[in-house]
């Protein structure tokens, strides 16, 4: 019993720490025990270990650890991807043969369809594809996917490494050594950047990994429950709860302690009956399926908001500056609009009001090649944002803004909601656009 219980506690602890590492930094958890645990894990414990190491070995161990961490997170290598796929392979390799004879036929048919999906979508995310990476041959086409919004992206900016104009929404990745189209983020799990062309596979990877893990937990439950129930008598004594003699039977502490005792006993019995390969893996699955689905929920929120992970950081910088009262919103001169779409009077320039539109017109054969070519995107920004260092309305506009904006139109803005996000077509069109590209 002690061994099975130790496995249950170990698995719960590892899963909780993983959850904290994944989600603890989110602002929603800042003032909760999860946020506190996250700070403990990533700030306080490492700095305490660092101080100890400096005293003992002059910092040699932590320097080596920092180099390893930097290599794992900031270099092009498949170590993390191999770890992830290895974990899936070992878990499935232990679990499926052990429970196979206990499962109904329909699950024996479904398992071979579900298990390969994480491998397939990892491959699709990791594969170098022409749509995601920008190079000289596709640069002209990449320039015409999105307009410059003049809030997050301005025309005329050159990538100092690739030596070409940065298309709107792109970003250079120093790990992939390439500019990336509609850059979302560099993902160490798939050893590649996610952007236009493979972001949809990343959403699929998160979804099907979450589904596979949840399905594994369900299979462990239906395979092992008959055995646990059949041997119920064997475990009757384990359920008995023995509180400490001085505990107050009406207190919350004792109530929680009792619940925890039953929960752990229940898990321990499953591990006793199913062993590590069936119940241990099943428990790990039960505790970790929310991780990919939680990340998927966050990514879908970004899709809803019409932004990439990269852009969400830029928007949050604007939000901070707007709160400081140093941001001014200007109107763009009508004659500077560049795209091919007819201006519709009922569009009102609002991205959200156009959510029912999904037309992406095809390009003319030979569009003019200049630093801001017309695009296929159905909207173009009417707004320009600038921040001033002294908090006063802008006096001398930089030339790139002066040429497209009315100087008189700048007013102080206090709410990011007043600023148009030209990349937001409404949730369904945003999603459709991602699935198509
Ligand atoms: Zn570049
Ligand atoms: Zn990258």
């Amino acid at each position: 019993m002690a061994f099975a219980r130790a496995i249950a506690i170990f698995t719960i602890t590892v899963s909780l720490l993983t959850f904290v590492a994944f989600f603890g930094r989110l602002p929603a958890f800042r003032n909760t025990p999860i946020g506190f645990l996250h700070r403990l894990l990533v700030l306080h414990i490492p700095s305490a270990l660092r101080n100890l190491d400096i005293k003992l070995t002059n910092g040699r161990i932590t320097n080596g650890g920092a180099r390893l961490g930097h290599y794992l997170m900031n270099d092009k290598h498949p170590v993390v991807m191999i770890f992830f796929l290895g974990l899936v392979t070992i878990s499935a390799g232990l679990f499926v043969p052990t429970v196979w004879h206990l499962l109904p036929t329909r699950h024996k048919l479904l398992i071979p369809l579900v298990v390969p999906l994480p491998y397939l979508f990892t491959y699709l995310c990791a594969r170098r594809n022409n749509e995601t990476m920008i190079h000289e041959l596709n640069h002209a086409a990449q320039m015409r996917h999105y307009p410059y919004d003049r809030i997050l992206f301005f025309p005329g900016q050159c990538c100092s490494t690739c030596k070409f104009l940065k298309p709107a929404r792109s970003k250079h990745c120093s790990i992939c050594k390439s500019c990336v189209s509609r850059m979302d983020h560099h993902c160490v799990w798939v050893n590649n950047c996610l952007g236009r062309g493979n972001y949809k596979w990343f959403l699929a990877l998160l979804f099907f990994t979450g589904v596979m893990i949840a399905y594994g937990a369900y299979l462990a439950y239906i395979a092992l429950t008959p055995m646990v129930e059949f041997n119920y008598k064997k475990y009757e004594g384990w359920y008995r709860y023995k509180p400490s003699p001085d505990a107050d039977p009406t207190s919350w502490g004792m109530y929680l302690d009792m619940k925890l005792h039953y929960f752990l006993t229940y898990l321990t019995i499953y591990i006793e009956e199913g062993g590590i390969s069936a119940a241990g893996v099943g428990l790990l699955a039960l505790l970790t399926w929310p991780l990919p689905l939680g990340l998927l929920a966050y990514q879908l929120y970004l899709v809803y908001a019409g932004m990439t992970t990269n852009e969400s950081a830029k928007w949050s910088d604007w939000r901070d500056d707007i709160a400081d009262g140093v941001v001014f919103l200007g109107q763009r001169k009508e004659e500077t609009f560049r795209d091919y779409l007819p201006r519709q009077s009922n569009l009102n320039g609002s991205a959200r009001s156009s959510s029912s539109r999904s037309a992406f017109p095809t390009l003319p054969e030979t569009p003019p090649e200049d630093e801001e070519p017309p695009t296929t995107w159905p909207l173009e920004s009417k707004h320009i944002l600038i921040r001033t260092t002294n908090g006063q309305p802008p006096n001398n506009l930089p030339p790139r803004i002066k040429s497209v904006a009315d100087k008189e139109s700048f007013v102080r803005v206090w709410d990011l909601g007043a600023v148009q996000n030209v990349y937001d077509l409404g949730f369904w069109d945003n999603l459709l656009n991602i699935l198509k590209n």
Side-chain angles (χ1 to χ4, degrees):
M1 178 189 179
F3 182 61
R5 201 175 174 93
I7 290 172
I9 292 173
F10 176 75
T11 316
I12 292 171
T13 311
V14 169
S15 308
L16 269 180
L17 291 180
T18 315
F19 181 85
V20 169
F22 264 76
F23 296 109
R25 78 180 69 175
L26 293 183
F29 289 121
R30 192 170 291 154
N31 295 317
T32 68
I34 293 170
F36 171 74
L37 263 178
H38 184 258
R39 286 191 295 280
L40 197 69
L41 274 179
V42 302
L43 292 177
H44 303 312
I45 293 180
S47 88
L49 287 176
R50 170 93 186 139
N51 289 339
L52 187 69
D53 183 42
I54 286 171
K55 275 190 194 128
L56 295 178
T57 72
N58 208 11
R60 247 173 257 138
I61 297 173
T62 41
N63 283 345
R67 269 199 299 276
L68 178 68
H70 188 268
Y71 170 73
L72 285 177
M73 302 308 287
N74 298 300
D75 257 329
K76 187 89 176 165
H77 60 75
V79 176
V80 182
M81 186 169 75
I82 291 169
F83 169 76
F84 164 60
L85 292 180
L87 202 63
V88 173
T89 308
I90 292 170
S91 303
L94 285 173
F95 180 76
V96 176
T98 313
V99 299
W100 190 258
H101 64 286
L102 300 168
L103 295 173
T105 311
R106 63 179 183 281
H107 291 298
K108 290 179 178 170
L109 295 174
L110 202 53
I111 288 170
L113 298 178
V114 173
V115 173
L117 295 177
Y119 298 89
L120 171 71
F121 291 117
T122 301
Y123 165 73
L124 289 170
C125 287
R127 171 179 77 137
R128 206 173 166 89
N129 77 76
N130 206 27
E131 195 62 21
T132 311
M133 299 299 166
I134 305 172
H135 45 75
E136 278 176 14
L137 293 177
N138 69 8
H139 180 258
Q142 294 280 9
M143 289 289 285
R144 294 191 292 269
H145 292 319
Y146 309 100
Y148 293 98
D149 64 351
R150 289 176 166 77
I151 294 169
L152 310 181
F153 303 97
F154 282 85
Q157 292 187 331
C158 209
C159 173
S160 56
T161 311
C162 305
K163 311 286 182 214
F164 49 55
L165 289 164
K166 285 181 174 176
R169 310 191 84 182
S170 71
K171 183 175 187 279
H172 185 85
C173 173
S174 57
I175 304 172
C176 297
K177 300 185 172 45
S178 172
C179 272
V180 177
S181 184
R182 200 186 62 215
M183 166 66 125
D184 195 89
H185 66 286
H186 180 90
C187 177
V188 291
W189 295 92
V190 299
N191 188 30
N192 201 4
C193 264
L194 300 166
R196 190 181 167 91
N198 66 358
Y199 182 69
K200 58 179 174 242
W201 303 130
F202 179 60
L203 297 182
L205 174 65
L206 291 177
F207 178 72
F208 286 108
T209 303
V211 165
M212 185 195 70
I213 300 176
Y215 183 52
Y218 171 70
L219 290 182
Y221 176 74
I222 62 165
L224 300 178
T225 300
M227 285 161 65
V228 171
E229 283 175 355
F230 184 76
N231 291 323
Y232 179 75
K233 282 265 172 278
K234 206 164 101 188
Y235 302 110
E236 236 170 351
W238 292 21
Y239 279 108
R240 212 162 296 128
Y241 175 62
K242 295 184 218 83
S244 60
D246 51 350
D248 173 7
T250 58
S251 71
W252 271 100
M254 185 168 151
Y255 177 76
L256 289 176
D257 188 49
M258 188 173 71
K259 287 284 171 202
L260 185 67
H261 166 79
Y262 286 135
F263 179 63
L264 271 178
T265 305
Y266 196 61
L267 295 181
T268 307
I269 292 170
Y270 269 82
I271 289 172
E272 196 76 15
E273 281 296 321
I276 292 179
S277 54
V281 173
L283 176 59
L284 188 66
L286 175 71
L287 296 166
T288 52
W289 68 265
L291 292 176
L293 293 183
L295 271 179
L296 177 67
Y298 176 66
Q299 293 297 330
L300 287 177
Y301 159 73
L302 291 179
V303 173
Y304 162 79
M307 57 177 82
T308 62
T309 304
N310 176 43
E311 289 160 16
S312 75
K314 291 171 184 276
W315 281 116
S316 101
D317 288 346
W318 276 118
R319 187 178 295 111
D320 291 346
D321 288 343
I322 285 175
D324 290 342
V326 296
V327 176
F328 294 82
L329 175 72
Q331 302 295 323
R332 199 169 151 190
K333 293 176 193 162
E334 188 83 12
E335 64 269 23
T336 64
F337 290 127
R338 301 296 304 268
D339 78 24
Y340 284 112
L341 285 175
R343 300 276 135 204
Q344 294 182 1
S345 54
N346 60 354
L347 195 60
N348 292 329
S350 157
R352 287 183 195 283
S353 69
S354 70
S355 60
S356 61
R357 301 179 63 212
S358 59
F360 291 92
T362 49
L363 283 165
E365 291 285 297
T366 50
E369 293 297 334
D370 64 4
E371 68 176 41
E372 193 188 0
T375 70
T376 52
W377 194 249
L379 288 175
E380 196 158 5
S381 176
K382 282 188 154 187
H383 293 164
I384 295 178
L385 273 194
I386 60 171
R387 42 172 82 79
T388 60
T389 45
N390 57 5
Q392 295 304 311
N395 242 336
N396 291 320
L397 291 172
R400 65 179 184 177
I401 291 178
K402 208 175 201 169
S403 58
V404 292
D406 275 327
K407 190 187 167 200
E408 304 309 314
S409 68
F410 281 89
V411 289
R412 198 188 301 270
V413 60
W414 288 106
D415 177 15
L416 198 54
V419 183
Q420 179 195 16
N421 174 10
V422 74
Y423 306 126
D424 179 15
L425 304 173
F427 177 71
W428 291 111
D429 278 341
N430 292 345
L431 189 63
L432 196 67
N433 188 246
I434 284 166
L435 297 181
K436 283 206 295 204
N437 298 298

